[in-house]
Amino acid sequence: MKLYYKPGACSLASHIILNELGAPFDLEKVDTANGRTENGADYSRISPNGYVPALQLDSGDIVTENPAILQLLGDRATVGSLVPVAGTMARIRLQEMLNFLSSELHKAFGPFFSGQDLTDDERANAEAGVTRRVKFIEATLAEKPYLLGDAFSVADAYAFVVLNWSNFVGIDTSQWPHVHEYLARVQDRPSVRKAMKAEGLIGDEAAA
Ligand SMILES: N[C@@H](CCC(=O)N[C@@H](CS)C(=O)NCC(=O)O)C(=O)O
């Protein structure tokens, strides 16, 4: 399998889950601004929408969209419970959460990554949008250690990546005590530190 990724982008969630699986995989960095991969390939021929992540399976099939890729990878886990069994209500809860993360929380960060300088008002609006969505996560984490319950799942990898963007856009996560503690706890997983190190987001000391 090969993951097409951009450092620190939402593709980091799939990178974390690939590490959780423990099987070998390849990585290829994408420059989404110029539509080329690090090997010089035209990325629009790999993923027509031009964004990451894209996962190339050994069959040659390409899968895009975070919720689809994360469930595909989670279903391949041979140990642990990265995704609940398909067809159960627990699996529906995962899909509910992945859709919330993708279409609500992830997209709430959009204005910060628009490439435009935000005015004070635009920044305040964008921050209010993020805060509105994080409140649901904060309330969820007040009840249980991970988004689906007692165990880390693919939803936690995605939530970690998106919530952690707060630190890059200047939103103080200590205003959400459960989220703040959760981010530190998830970042401490070997799969997360390894992926962040490989993407150049943390140094050797933090990854050790
Ligand atoms: N609906 C897509 C959204 C993916 C997405 O927003 N990818 C961003 C990075 S997090 C991207 O590649 N944006 C283009 C860019 O950064 O130039 C999914 O869930 O996979």
Side-chain angles (χ1 to χ4, degrees), residues 18-53:
L18 282 161
N19 283 344
E20 291 275 342
L21 298 186
F25 61 91
D26 295 317
L27 286 171
E28 191 160 337
K29 194 175 351 183
V30 181
D31 181 342
T32 52
N34 75 11
R36 293 269 156 197
T37 76
E38 64 184 321
N39 293 335
D42 175 357
Y43 189 58
S44 70
R45 299 186 65 143
I46 296 158
S47 180
N49 285 316
Y51 49 63
V52 292

Side-chain angles (χ1 to χ4, degrees), residues 29-206:
K29 194 175 351 183
V30 181
D31 181 342
T32 52
N34 75 11
R36 293 269 156 197
T37 76
E38 64 184 321
N39 293 335
D42 175 357
Y43 189 58
S44 70
R45 299 186 65 143
I46 296 158
S47 180
N49 285 316
Y51 49 63
V52 292
L55 184 72
Q56 182 165 35
L57 306 182
D58 294 342
S59 61
D61 289 306
I62 307 258
V63 181
T64 60
E65 302 297 325
N66 284 294
I69 295 174
L70 290 168
Q71 290 183 79
L72 180 153
L73 292 174
D75 278 330
R76 294 190 171 198
T78 49
V79 286
S81 57
L82 290 170
V83 295
V85 175
T88 61
M89 182 49 81
R91 184 59 170 257
I92 296 298
R93 293 293 176 218
L94 169 69
Q95 290 168 346
E96 194 176 33
M97 183 56 76
L98 288 173
N99 278 292
F100 171 80
L101 294 173
S102 170
S103 61
E104 303 296 337
L105 185 65
H106 180 162
K107 289 302 151 190
F109 279 89
F112 292 104
F113 300 122
S114 64
Q116 313 281 333
D117 285 337
L118 300 181
T119 64
D120 288 348
D121 277 356
E122 286 167 343
R123 192 189 153 80
N125 279 338
E127 199 163 332
V130 167
T131 301
R132 197 161 53 241
R133 297 307 178 219
V134 177
K135 274 191 178 151
F136 171 64
I137 302 290
E138 178 70 0
T140 303
L141 293 174
E143 303 288 323
K144 42 197 169 190
Y146 294 102
L147 292 177
L148 299 187
D150 289 333
F152 176 85
S153 76
V154 297
D156 296 297
Y158 193 10
F160 167 78
V161 170
V162 174
L163 291 166
N164 200 41
W165 290 338
S166 305
N167 294 314
F168 293 93
V169 303
I171 300 178
D172 182 4
T173 58
S174 66
Q175 64 185 303
W176 310 301
H178 294 100
V179 164
H180 191 69
E181 183 275 333
Y182 169 82
L183 286 176
R185 186 157 38 86
V186 173
Q187 182 161 339
D188 213 27
R189 292 179 79 81
S191 62
V192 177
R193 284 188 272 125
K194 190 174 174 192
M196 292 181 81
K197 165 86 172 50
E199 295 195 11
L201 305 171
I202 56 173
D204 289 336
E205 281 167 32

